[in-house]
Amino acid sequence: MTSISERLLGSLIKENIISAEDREIYLFGIKELLSQIFTYFIMFGIGAALGMLIETIVFTAVYMSLRVYAGGYHASTQLRCYILSFGMLIAALLVIRWINVSEIVAGGAIILIGGIIYFMAPSEHKNKPLSQNEKKIYKKKVGKRVIVCIMIAFAAAVIDVGKILDTIGVAMMLLVIMMICNRQEKC
């Protein structure tokens, strides 16, 4: 992805769209954008291959919307991050496919897991310590997002939308596991 990023950046500088002085900032941004596009392309490809594209979209939306402020484990390299992320998604989708619990149990589990996420958040990383103010802000954002996830889960249960309830529960449970791994630094 570096050569693609370099070529794209070169074109932007040549066309005077961006200044050469800001090269490193733009290079970082372009690399991150391409990495995200690659990641989502593979994730949605996995979901489509398993015939679970809707579940993949819901899983990704729930997991990422919570993780951005709740925190969690960070792999030491980009390759390990890809392997962990894609492996986790495949495992999650297989669990979602085969899970068979009542809506009451799933709903109760989601409320409990949501509380655990809120209690543990934010799970800061050693390379990005948070100030006390940031911790308060992140916890508040996590709390709001957990409530939204719970509300969506219950709406999905009421209108009986396939495996959405299970998908939300599995996404939240995997986030708790990643938050615990981050605290233990042993995953």
Side-chain angles (χ1 to χ4, degrees), residues 52-77:
M52 300 177 75
L53 187 56
I54 299 298
E55 291 87 346
T56 302
I57 292 168
V58 171
F59 175 88
T60 303
V62 169
Y63 185 83
M64 295 307 293
S65 70
L66 289 169
R67 191 182 187 293
V68 69
Y69 292 109
Y73 176 76
H74 289 274
S76 57
T77 68

Side-chain angles (χ1 to χ4, degrees), residues 62-159:
V62 169
Y63 185 83
M64 295 307 293
S65 70
L66 289 169
R67 191 182 187 293
V68 69
Y69 292 109
Y73 176 76
H74 289 274
S76 57
T77 68
Q78 187 80 31
L79 179 60
R80 287 181 182 165
C81 181
Y82 288 141
I83 292 168
L84 179 64
S85 297
F86 302 147
M88 184 173 69
L89 176 64
I90 292 167
L93 293 174
L94 294 176
V95 167
I96 292 163
R97 175 175 281 160
W98 293 316
I99 197 169
N100 187 20
V101 296
S102 73
E103 290 174 348
I104 292 171
V105 171
I110 288 171
I111 292 171
L112 178 65
I113 294 165
I116 294 169
I117 291 170
Y118 180 75
F119 175 73
M120 290 180 67
S123 178
E124 64 185 326
H125 189 264
K126 64 183 177 189
N127 293 339
K128 188 183 183 275
L130 302 172
S131 70
Q132 289 297 53
N133 190 45
E134 287 174 316
K135 288 178 183 179
K136 285 180 186 177
I137 292 168
Y138 282 28
K139 185 171 273 298
K140 188 180 281 188
K141 289 185 180 206
V142 167
K144 289 177 182 177
R145 290 170 187 227
V146 163
I147 290 169
V148 168
C149 288
I150 290 169
M151 290 170 55
I152 292 169
F154 280 93
V158 168
I159 59 175

Side-chain angles (χ1 to χ4, degrees), residues 6-25:
E6 293 276 357
R7 280 188 271 148
L8 182 56
L9 182 62
S11 297
L12 293 172
I13 292 171
K14 183 179 175 185
E15 297 294 325
N16 291 321
I17 297 171
I18 61 171
S19 100
E21 296 169 355
D22 298 328
R23 185 179 198 292
E24 292 304 314
I25 295 169

